[in-house]
Amino acid sequence: MRIAVFCSGSGTNLEAMVNAQKRGDIKAEIALVVSDVAGCFALKRAEKAGIKALVVERKKFSSGKEFESEILKSLQKEKVDLVVLAGYMRLLSADFIKEYRNKILNIHPALLPSFKGTHGIKDALEYGVKITGPTVHFVTEDMDAGPIILQSAVTVAEDDTEETLAESIHKEEHKIYPRAVQLFIEGRLKIEGSRVRIL
Amino acid sequence: MRIAVFCSGSGTNLEAMVNAQKRGDIKAEIALVVSDVAGCFALKRAEKAGIKALVVERKKFSSGKEFESEILKSLQKEKVDLVVLAGYMRLLSADFIKEYRNKILNIHPALLPSFKGTHGIKDALEYGVKITGPTVHFVTEDMDAGPIILQSAVTVAEDDTEETLAESIHKEEHKIYPRAVQLFIEGRLKIEGSRVRIL
C-alpha cells in the first residue's frame, strides 16, 4: 500500500508518520509528500527522509480544478492508495474527494463534532472545556464532519495557554494518527453510516 | 451551606451526593429534595436518607410562573444556597435562574458543547464519537451552554450499546458531580466570561 501525505506547514504529523514507519508501526510506503506551500518545513522533512516531494502551488493554476487535477495526476502516477492530510490548509473539492472516496484521512485538533474549523484549539480553550483532544476522521464533502476513526482525550490544565494546550494535543495526534493509518492499511476500518467500526 | 437537589427520576446523582456527604467529601447540608414527579424513586432515596422532600407538580398550577414561585418559596424558607439539578427534566425559567444566578449546577451526559439536549448519550453513540463523557456546568438561560466546571472522558467501546455507554457515563457522573459541588461549597469556582477557573 502506498501513502501520500499532504502538508502546508511544519509537517510534525508527517514526521510522526515517518517515525512510525521506521519503527514498523506503519506497514506501507510513504510514496509522496504533496505541499501547496513552496519552502515549507514539511518539504525539508520529506527530503531528509528521502521521500519524493511535490510542490503544487495554487497560484500557478488558473482554476482550482486544474490545480487539483495536477495533484491527482501525480497520485495516480505514484499509485497512491491513501491520502493523509497533515496540516494541509486547503479544502479538497467534492470531485477530488470522489476520486479517493473513503481513502482520505484528516486530523483535527478538537473532539469533533465540537470546535470545527481552523481554530479548534483556541476555540476550545476560549469556550472553557475541561476535556479536548484530537480526532482522526475520514474526509467527506462536509468539513470536519466525516466518520470518526480515533479520538484521544486531553485534559485542559488550569494554566494552559493556547501554546501549551497545542503541545499536549499534538503529542496525542502523533500517537493516534499513525495508529489510524495502520488500521486503514490493515483493512480494519469499516464505515457504517456515520460510524466507523474497528474490526 | 445548604443544598437543594432537584430530581424527576431515579435520583442516582442524588444518591451520589448523599454518599459523598456521608463520606465527608461534601461538607454541606442537603437540606431539600425537590421533585416535579410524585412517586419517583428519587423521593424514596430522599426519605431513606432522612432528607426533607417536596413534590411540586406542574399540573397543580395554572402557570409555570406560579409553579416555580412555589418552589422558590420553599428554597427561601429552607435558606438554600445552591441548587443541584440531578435528572430534573424541566427547564428553569429565566426568572428562576436570575434568583439563583451562578448558584445552579447541572450535569449533562455528553462532553458539551457536543450533543446538547435530552439525548446526549444516544446522539453521541449514533454520531460515532470515540470519546464522550459527562459535563458539570453552571445553569444559564441557554440550555446546556453555561460555564463548564468539570468534565470527564469516557471511551466508547466498540460493542457499547446505549445502555452500557450510559452505565460508564453515569459512573463518571457520580465522581465528578459531588466534586464540583464541593468546589462550589469551598468557593473555588471563579466564573470568568464563559470559563470557570478552579482556584
Side-chain angles (χ1 to χ4, degrees):
Chain A
M1 195 167 280
R2 293 167 67 77
I3 303 171
V5 182
F6 283 31
C7 305
S8 303
S10 74
T12 61
N13 271 306
L14 166 62
E15 186 80 22
M17 297 295 162
V18 169
N19 291 337
Q21 205 238 15
K22 278 189 197 159
R23 282 196 311 270
D25 291 342
I26 288 181
K27 296 186 202 324
E29 187 171 354
I30 304 172
L32 187 65
V33 168
V34 175
S35 176
D36 62 325
V37 178
C40 73
F41 197 70
L43 291 166
K44 293 198 174 50
R45 294 193 205 261
E47 192 189 344
K48 199 182 153 204
I51 303 167
K52 188 172 196 167
L54 181 74
V55 178
V56 190
E57 292 176 284
R58 173 65 184 85
K59 65 184 179 195
K60 301 260 171 84
F61 298 84
S62 60
S63 73
K65 201 174 169 61
E66 287 175 51
F67 164 73
E68 282 193 342
S69 124
E70 175 73 17
I71 297 175
L72 278 170
K73 228 165 53 187
S74 300
L75 296 184
Q76 279 144 14
K77 194 177 145 203
E78 293 292 336
K79 299 189 193 324
V80 165
D81 306 290
L82 171 66
V83 172
V84 171
L85 306 184
Y88 183 68
M89 295 309 285
R90 210 169 271 281
L91 282 177
L92 301 174
S93 73
D95 284 341
F96 190 104
I97 292 166
K98 208 179 287 172
E99 287 291 325
Y100 278 85
R101 170 74 61 206
N102 297 338
K103 291 175 180 175
I104 309 173
L105 307 188
N106 186 37
I107 192 152
H108 182 80
L111 290 176
L112 292 173
S114 285
F115 310 115
K116 297 178 180 185
T118 47
H119 301 99
I121 297 172
K122 186 165 176 269
D123 291 348
L125 192 64
E126 286 179 357
Y127 190 97
V129 295
K130 303 297 186 180
I131 304 272
T132 184
T135 301
V136 182
H137 63 94
F138 283 104
V139 171
T140 59
E141 284 79 355
D142 299 321
M143 188 177 71
D144 299 332
I148 292 172
I149 300 166
L150 292 176
Q151 294 183 303
S152 180
V154 170
T155 301
V156 180
E158 279 303 312
D159 57 354
D160 258 336
T161 61
E162 197 183 330
E163 289 68 35
T164 59
L165 182 57
E167 204 177 312
S168 308
I169 291 171
H170 294 327
K171 209 171 147 187
E172 287 304 304
E173 289 183 6
H174 303 157
K175 291 181 200 164
I176 67 170
Y177 209 2
R179 200 179 303 153
V181 166
Q182 180 57 20
L183 287 168
F184 180 94
I185 292 165
E186 294 174 8
R188 291 173 59 195
L189 303 178
K190 191 172 171 216
I191 299 176
E192 295 177 349
S194 74
R195 297 170 66 177
V196 178
R197 190 168 297 279
I198 298 175
L199 305 174
Chain B
M1 195 169 277
R2 293 168 66 79
I3 303 171
V5 182
F6 283 31
C7 306
S8 303
S10 74
T12 60
N13 271 307
L14 167 63
E15 186 82 22
M17 297 294 161
V18 168
N19 291 337
Q21 204 237 17
K22 277 187 197 160
R23 282 196 313 269
D25 290 342
I26 288 182
K27 295 185 202 328
E29 186 171 354
I30 303 172
L32 187 66
V33 168
V34 176
S35 176
D36 61 324
V37 178
C40 73
F41 197 70
L43 291 165
K44 293 198 173 50
R45 294 193 205 260
E47 191 188 345
K48 197 180 153 206
I51 301 168
K52 189 171 196 168
L54 181 73
V55 179
V56 190
E57 291 176 284
R58 173 65 184 84
K59 66 183 179 195
K60 300 263 172 84
F61 298 85
S62 59
S63 73
K65 199 174 169 61
E66 285 174 52
F67 164 72
E68 283 193 342
S69 127
E70 175 74 16
I71 297 174
L72 278 171
K73 228 165 52 189
S74 299
L75 297 184
Q76 279 145 14
K77 194 176 145 203
E78 293 292 336
K79 296 187 194 331
V80 166
D81 305 290
L82 170 66
V83 171
V84 171
L85 305 183
Y88 184 68
M89 296 307 287
R90 208 169 271 282
L91 282 178
L92 301 174
S93 73
D95 283 341
F96 190 103
I97 292 165
K98 207 179 290 171
E99 287 290 324
Y100 278 84
R101 168 74 62 206
N102 296 338
K103 292 175 178 175
I104 308 174
L105 307 188
N106 186 36
I107 192 153
H108 182 80
L111 289 177
L112 293 173
S114 284
F115 311 116
K116 297 178 180 186
T118 47
H119 302 98
I121 297 171
K122 185 164 177 271
D123 291 347
L125 192 64
E126 286 178 358
Y127 190 98
V129 295
K130 302 296 185 180
I131 303 272
T132 184
T135 301
V136 182
H137 63 93
F138 283 104
V139 172
T140 59
E141 285 79 356
D142 300 321
M143 189 177 71
D144 299 332
I148 292 172
I149 300 166
L150 292 176
Q151 294 183 304
S152 181
V154 170
T155 301
V156 181
E158 279 304 313
D159 57 354
D160 259 336
T161 61
E162 196 182 331
E163 289 66 35
T164 59
L165 182 57
E167 203 176 315
S168 308
I169 291 171
H170 293 328
K171 208 170 148 187
E172 287 304 305
E173 288 183 6
H174 302 158
K175 290 180 200 165
I176 68 170
Y177 209 2
R179 199 180 303 152
V181 166
Q182 181 59 20
L183 286 169
F184 180 93
I185 292 164
E186 293 173 8
R188 291 173 60 194
L189 301 178
K190 193 175 171 211
I191 301 175
E192 294 176 351
S194 73
R195 297 170 65 178
V196 177
R197 190 168 296 281
I198 298 175
L199 305 175

